[in-house]
Amino acid sequence: MNGIILYGSRYGAAQQYAQALEERTGFPAVSYEEVLDFGPFDTIIYIGGLYAGKTTGLARTARHLPTDHPFRLLVATVGLADPTDEGNLLHIRESLAEELSPGIFVRTTHIPLRGAIDYAKLSLKHRLMMKVMCAFLRRKPPEERSADTQEILDSYGNAVTFIDFDALAPIQEWLERT
């Protein structure tokens, strides 16, 4: 098996997952910006941070994926929202369907991972996006908020991490299955 781990990371969580997976698998972990030729790889793992429903660098990477070469693709998205929530998962998968061609999307495995946030390191654009989102979430009465929503509100303005390297186990299992 000749594989590679690509990551698209703005603030480091996706890169941390990629490097941890590199240690576990021996596949090199590199930024998506460094690879444009996927011909040599039969297994591609893409780990990307989620921002406003888009996976960092995935659409650009997908444009370079070969259409005439069989390869396995797993996309691991890294976001703040609880990936076990069916609504969150559905939204993520709908976004992936927009970023990948239909032919690639249907054969792609998706694993959601939880990331981290440090408001002190966010760009102005992302700070404003989080401010607007939290203002929207606060309008909901506390008794109607999900645990995930409350967690996001409670962490607003702080640094918090949900990174869990044990969550890489399904990716390792996927690699072993074929």
Side-chain angles (χ1 to χ4, degrees):
M1 185 174 356
N2 190 13
I4 189 166
I5 302 164
L6 300 174
Y7 62 85
S9 189
R10 289 193 181 148
Y11 300 108
Q15 183 177 359
Q16 288 178 49
Y17 277 120
Q19 290 168 340
L21 192 60
E22 176 182 47
E23 290 175 17
R24 295 174 183 206
T25 65
F27 290 165
V30 297
S31 170
Y32 75 95
E33 298 167 315
E34 296 179 34
V35 179
L36 297 177
D37 179 14
F38 295 97
F41 305 108
D42 58 19
T43 302
I44 302 165
I45 299 169
Y46 192 94
I47 303 176
L50 284 171
Y51 302 96
K54 300 294 179 198
T55 307
T56 303
L58 182 60
R60 178 177 173 228
T61 300
R63 288 192 296 271
H64 296 285
L65 292 174
T67 55
D68 59 345
H69 172 66
F71 61 90
R72 298 183 317 145
L73 176 64
L74 181 142
V75 175
T77 53
V78 182
L80 278 183
D82 181 0
T84 63
D85 178 276
E86 284 301 315
N88 291 338
L89 202 50
L90 179 61
H91 179 69
I92 293 167
R93 290 194 174 137
E94 287 171 348
S95 294
L96 289 176
E98 293 174 9
E99 293 182 273
L100 299 170
S101 71
I104 291 175
F105 177 74
V106 297
R107 62 185 192 157
T108 299
T109 299
H110 172 240
I111 303 285
L113 303 169
R114 288 198 82 179
I117 191 166
D118 183 346
Y119 283 84
K121 295 180 179 178
L122 291 182
S123 68
L124 178 61
K125 175 184 171 183
H126 288 149
R127 268 187 273 141
L128 289 172
M129 287 171 59
M130 290 304 294
K131 183 177 183 175
V132 169
M133 183 179 84
C134 286
F136 173 77
L137 294 175
R138 280 191 192 94
R139 289 187 205 141
K140 209 175 216 186
E143 62 275 3
E144 293 179 20
R145 295 176 188 160
S146 68
D148 189 46
T149 296
Q150 192 59 51
E151 220 170 33
I152 290 170
L153 289 172
D154 291 345
S155 69
Y156 182 73
N158 300 307
V160 65
T161 184
F162 300 105
I163 294 173
D164 176 9
F165 295 119
D166 291 338
L168 295 171
I171 298 173
Q172 292 175 266
E173 291 167 11
W174 175 81
L175 286 168
E176 293 169 4
R177 278 197 299 269
T178 50

